[in-house]
């Protein structure tokens, strides 16, 4: 059975580099698509490209869309399209978030999955300190 799709919405296309990093960890990945917001894009052009990508993939319950910046064009487009499609959208894309999403691709995404993916992302963000010795 085909894995559930993931759509990445990023400014400038850095999602592909992020995906390459995830592949170093888990190996081959499938059914992950990026729609790049380019500097020359207007909102309508980007919205149409995202809509076309959504229409090109098949999902069972909720389509997972990961965006880079909350409040930015990428997340605003995901929110706008959630009126017309059953979308689970998460902002703050990073390696931990994408890695956890990839690990959950075998089954349809749920709201609980979204919460777990977000939590994995948050737990990955820490100040790193060496332990102190007494």
């Amino acid at each position: 059975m085909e894995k559930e799709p993931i759509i990445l919405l990023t400014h400038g296309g850095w999602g592909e580099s992020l995906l390459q990093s995830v592949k170093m960890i888990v190996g081959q990945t499938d059914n992950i698509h990026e729609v790049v917001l380019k500097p020359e894009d207007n909102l309508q052009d980007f919205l149409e490209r995202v809509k076309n990508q959504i229409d090109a993939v098949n999902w069972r319950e909720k389509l997972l869309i990961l965006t880079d910046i909350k409040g930015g064009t990428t997340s605003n487009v995901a929110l706008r399209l959630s009126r017309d499609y059953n979308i689970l959208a998460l902002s703050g894309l990073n390696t931990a978030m994408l890695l956890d999403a990839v690990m959950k691709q075998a089954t349809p995404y749920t709201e609980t999955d979204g919460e777990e993916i977000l939590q994995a992302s948050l737990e990955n963000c820490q100040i790193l300190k060496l332990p102190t010795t007494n």
Side-chain angles (χ1 to χ4, degrees), residues 7 13 17-18 21-22 24 26 29-30 34 41 43 63 69 83 93 95-96 99 109-110 119 123 127 131 133:
I7 296 180
S17 295
L18 187 63
S21 296
V22 167
M24 288 175 59
V26 299
T29 60
D30 297 308
E34 181 180 22
D41 284 338
L43 179 62
L63 174 61
I69 301 172
R83 294 181 201 160
L93 178 60
T95 306
L99 182 60
Y109 290 106
T110 65
Q119 189 61 39
E123 288 174 1
I127 296 173
T133 57

Side-chain angles (χ1 to χ4, degrees), residues 73-105:
T73 301
T74 55
S75 61
N76 290 339
V77 164
L79 281 174
R80 161 60 187 88
L81 291 171
S82 69
R83 294 181 201 160
D84 304 321
Y85 299 93
N86 195 9
I87 291 174
L88 175 60
L90 302 174
S91 66
L93 178 60
N94 61 44
T95 306
M97 179 183 283
L98 183 55
L99 182 60
D100 202 58
V102 165
M103 302 306 285
K104 295 178 182 325
Q105 265 186 300

Side-chain angles (χ1 to χ4, degrees), residues 52-75:
N52 290 339
Q53 182 62 68
I54 289 171
D55 290 340
V57 298
N58 296 311
W59 69 93
R60 290 178 271 177
E61 292 177 25
K62 286 189 177 285
L63 174 61
L64 182 62
I65 296 182
L66 304 177
T67 73
D68 53 5
I69 301 172
K70 177 185 173 187
T73 301
T74 55
S75 61

Side-chain angles (χ1 to χ4, degrees), residues 35-47 49 73:
V35 182
V36 176
L37 177 63
K38 303 172 192 168
E40 65 271 14
D41 284 338
N42 64 46
L43 179 62
Q44 191 57 40
D45 291 341
F46 185 64
L47 182 71
R49 284 203 326 274
T73 301

